[in-house]
Amino acid sequence: MPNRARRALLFMPGDARRKIEKGAALDVDCIIMDLEDGVAFSQKEEARRTVRTALEELDFGRSERLVRINPVSDDSSMWIHDLTETIEARPDGYVIPKVQNAEQVQRVAEHITRIERKNGWHDGDIRLLAIVETAMGFVYLRDIAESDPRLVALVFGAEDLAGDIGAKRTPDSWEVFYARSKLVLFAKAYHLQAIDTPFVGLTADDSQLTTTTEQALYMGYTGKLAIHPNQIEPIQRMFTPTAEEIQAAKVLIAAHEKQQDDGSGVFVHEGRMVDLPMVKAAQSVLTRASAAGIKVDG
Ligand code: COA
Ligand code: MG
């Protein structure tokens, strides 16, 4: 199944109807209505109602409509209420936070499957995204990555992870680099999207946001969480190949095909050696472009 583009995913508190309305009107790949840490404990009920009504009433345009539930645990039934009280309004998927093992994803998936069957909905349409943001989550990353066919993305959460391991956040993010890198590797090994942690600075100058988003792109990430409407454009732009990149990729692929026809696997193109890995990288540029809605013929 070709994955849709998830370049920017904008969070908003589930009890903030005004922000949800604003978010729905934006040109953003995904909207995440939060029922977890962005909502006070006293507001959880209200937030579920607000999310449900928003899903029923608002036109979200092309945006994917996601809901973040509370963590899956035996000690709390919040996550079950989050699911059962919003699912009838047909979100496109759920985001599960603080995922530590495969079973947590599977329990959500089983719950959804029961509801889909009961309602006669198409099996498996509701997708899952798992935020990995605890030390234990990174220990069990492989199990999480292969936990369930509904899973489309692994999401990196740096703030919670730093808290969990006793790290102090720094502008360069070296303290979480191993985890940030590990998440991409495991996501790609299991054909999942890799979505980067949000940038929580809210200054008018977006150069730091640009730097960290560029890092994520260069590491192989396919998207990034956002917390403010101003972050959407810089993030979506960064994860969209430029016209020059697309053109260069096409030229390289065409040159490769010609060389293959002539019986040669490796060749020199514009002063550089080219073999299959570079061709695959060029193909992935075209894949990202198509996912972003850009026509790439041939
Ligand atoms: N989604 C949709 N709209 C948002 C938004 C968001 N995440 N963040 C801000 N807006 C809207 C505001 O409502 C405001 O519109 P208005 O003036 O017409 O009401 C406008 O954008 C400008 O907002 P601004 O004043 O710059 O921000 P703020 O001080 O009101 O809010 C935050 C700052 C951080 C509280 C807010 O951006 C937010 O709620 N972010 C998401 C937080 C979240 O969900 N966290 C959990 C996951 S990490
Ligand atoms: Mg968190």
Side-chain angles (χ1 to χ4, degrees):
M1 184 185 68
N3 238 336
R4 60 171 292 152
R6 294 187 181 85
R7 295 167 300 176
L9 303 86
L10 179 65
F11 261 120
M12 57 209 59
D15 56 343
R17 168 79 184 201
R18 183 177 175 83
K19 285 179 186 163
I20 301 176
E21 283 175 6
K22 288 218 129 191
L26 296 169
D27 182 36
V28 59
D29 291 346
C30 310
I31 296 282
I32 308 177
M33 289 168 272
D34 187 25
L35 297 174
E36 198 214 7
D37 290 348
V39 175
F41 283 107
S42 62
Q43 290 298 105
K44 298 283 182 188
E45 254 318 305
E46 171 66 21
R48 291 182 195 117
R49 262 198 305 277
T50 304
V51 167
R52 187 192 167 111
T53 319
L55 284 166
E56 286 164 352
E57 294 176 356
L58 300 179
D59 178 1
F60 288 78
R62 66 172 191 88
S63 305
E64 184 176 42
R65 301 153 318 138
L66 305 172
V67 178
R68 180 166 77 169
I69 60 176
N70 282 278
V72 178
S73 91
D74 288 326
D75 306 332
S76 160
S77 59
M78 276 199 290
W79 64 280
I80 299 184
H81 290 287
D82 296 341
L83 276 178
T84 53
E85 287 162 41
T86 56
I87 198 165
E88 307 279 340
R90 310 298 293 270
D92 299 309
Y94 286 95
V95 179
I96 318 172
K98 301 182 178 62
V99 175
Q100 320 232 37
N101 55 52
E103 196 202 344
Q104 290 171 312
V105 179
Q106 288 156 355
R107 287 175 74 181
V108 173
E110 282 158 19
H111 227 83
I112 294 174
T113 301
R114 270 200 299 280
I115 297 170
E116 278 177 344
R117 300 227 168 114
K118 189 185 85 194
N119 287 291
W121 300 340
H122 187 265
D123 251 23
D125 276 355
I126 298 176
R127 324 181 242 286
L128 294 176
L129 290 75
I131 312 184
V132 184
E133 49 188 345
T134 62
M136 198 56 90
F138 283 93
V139 170
Y140 286 106
L141 197 52
R142 176 181 167 169
D143 296 356
I144 295 167
E146 59 183 355
S147 58
D148 192 87
R150 287 182 196 273
L151 192 67
V152 293
L154 296 179
V155 185
F156 176 50
E159 307 308 322
D160 279 83
L161 180 66
D164 196 40
I165 66 177
K168 180 171 159 43
R169 296 286 280 130
T170 66
D172 289 339
S173 290
W174 282 110
E175 66 285 356
V176 292
F177 183 75
Y178 168 63
R180 195 183 185 197
S181 178
K182 181 172 181 177
L183 186 128
V184 182
L185 288 178
F186 280 71
K188 297 304 167 88
Y190 290 92
H191 307 291
L192 302 171
Q193 289 175 334
I195 295 164
D196 193 34
T197 194
F199 179 68
V200 295
L202 285 172
T203 51
D205 167 19
D206 64 9
S207 65
Q208 280 178 292
L209 171 66
T210 304
T211 304
T212 181
T213 308
E214 189 175 59
Q215 263 171 13
L217 172 75
Y218 289 0
M219 289 174 77
Y221 276 89
T222 49
K224 189 171 177 69
L225 296 173
I227 52 160
H228 192 280
N230 291 347
Q231 296 186 335
I232 295 171
E233 196 279 330
I235 292 176
Q236 292 192 163
R237 181 161 31 86
M238 186 67 75
F239 285 106
T240 309
T242 62
E244 294 76 45
E245 286 169 320
I246 295 168
Q247 186 52 27
K250 284 183 180 173
V251 169
L252 191 140
I253 290 166
H256 164 74
E257 280 165 3
K258 183 172 180 310
Q259 293 288 331
Q260 285 282 321
D261 289 346
D262 296 347
S264 167
V266 60
F267 62 102
V268 177
H269 175 68
E270 294 176 355
R272 295 179 63 214
M273 183 206 80
V274 173
D275 64 358
L276 213 49
M278 285 84 153
V279 177
K280 283 191 177 159
Q283 273 153 352
S284 100
V285 168
L286 299 189
T287 307
R288 279 197 292 123
S290 318
I294 298 170
K295 285 214 171 17
V296 283
D297 32 58

